[in-house]
């Protein structure tokens, strides 16, 4: 079986793939806070999906602006061509973090489950994905199954902590 982390566009180096995964994990943690916050509010399915999509878009645009500003400051010119393609490739997971919650919210709009349940399920899926990325990282480091499970639990704990902070804050 091919290693999913070793794949990417032709010529993608490990640093690019690591940066891309970092963005995905960051977006996942952010999305946990968003969907848990929405679950405590009076929001419609349309409002919830709009919030999820605009959050993902805002994260992506903020990353691009920050990358361009940093590039311009260090290199004295705007990123173009290969540099800009790298920025777009690395930041694209910030957009994909909205896919799972949007599907679940769509199911709520169709009456398959309540919106509250869909939002909490979205948070749960995000926490599980953090756990799985932690396990994959632990296995790739060669620490064995127990170390991988501990890494997964540590990452999932961060996601749960974010959710608990939102709950404690009452939003």
């Amino acid at each position: 079986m091919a290693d999913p982390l070793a794949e990417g566009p032709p010529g993608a180096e490990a640093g690019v793939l690591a940066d891309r995964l970092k963005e995905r994990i960051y977006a996942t943690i952010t999305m946990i806070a968003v969907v848990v916050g929405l679950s405590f509010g009076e929001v419609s399915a349309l409002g919830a999906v709009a919030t999820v999509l605009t959050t993902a878009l805002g994260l992506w645009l903020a990353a691009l602006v920050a990358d361009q500003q940093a590039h311009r400051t260090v290199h004295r010119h705007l990123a173009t061509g290969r540099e800009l393609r790298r920025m777009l490739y690395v930041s694209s997971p910030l957009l994909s973090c909205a896919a799972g919650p949007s599907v679940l919210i769509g199911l709520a709009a169709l009456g398959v489950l309540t919106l509250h349940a869909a939002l909490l399920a979205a948070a749960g899926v995000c926490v599980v994905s953090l756990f799985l990325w932690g396990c994959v990282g632990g296995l790739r480091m060669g620490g064995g199954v127990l170390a991988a499970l501990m890494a997964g639990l540590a990452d999932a704990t961060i996601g749960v902590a974010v959710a608990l902070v939102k709950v404690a804050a009452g939003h």
Side-chain angles (χ1 to χ4, degrees), residues 136-145 147:
V136 168
L139 287 172
R140 289 179 62 86
M141 289 177 55
V145 174

Side-chain angles (χ1 to χ4, degrees), residues 31-52 100-109 113-127 163:
M31 198 53 69
I32 291 169
V34 170
V35 296
V36 169
L38 286 170
S39 76
F40 286 96
E42 296 295 322
V43 64
S44 66
L46 181 61
V49 79
T51 300
V52 164
S102 295
V103 167
L104 288 162
I105 293 166
L107 290 173
L113 65 164
T114 67
L115 181 57
H116 182 74
L119 292 168
L120 293 180
V125 168
C126 288
V127 170

Side-chain angles (χ1 to χ4, degrees), residues 12 16-17 22 26 38 47 51-52 58 80-81 92 94 100 123 141 154-155 157:
V16 171
L17 297 175
K22 173 194 67 161
Y26 171 72
L38 286 170
T51 300
V52 164
T80 59
S92 64
L94 293 167
M141 289 177 55
D155 287 0
T157 299

Side-chain angles (χ1 to χ4, degrees), residues 131 134-135 138-139 142-154:
F131 172 79
C135 286
L139 287 172
V145 174
L146 183 59
L149 290 173
M150 295 305 290
L153 286 173

Side-chain angles (χ1 to χ4, degrees), residues 1 8-10 20 23 52 58 63 78-80 83 95 99 101 103 109 115 133:
M1 182 171 161
R20 184 175 162 86
E23 295 292 357
V52 164
L78 289 174
T80 59
E83 298 158 331
L95 293 170
V103 167
L115 181 57
W133 280 118

Side-chain angles (χ1 to χ4, degrees), residues 18-32:
D19 287 346
R20 184 175 162 86
L21 180 57
K22 173 194 67 161
E23 295 292 357
R24 176 61 188 190
I25 291 168
Y26 171 72
T28 300
I29 292 168
T30 302
M31 198 53 69
I32 291 169

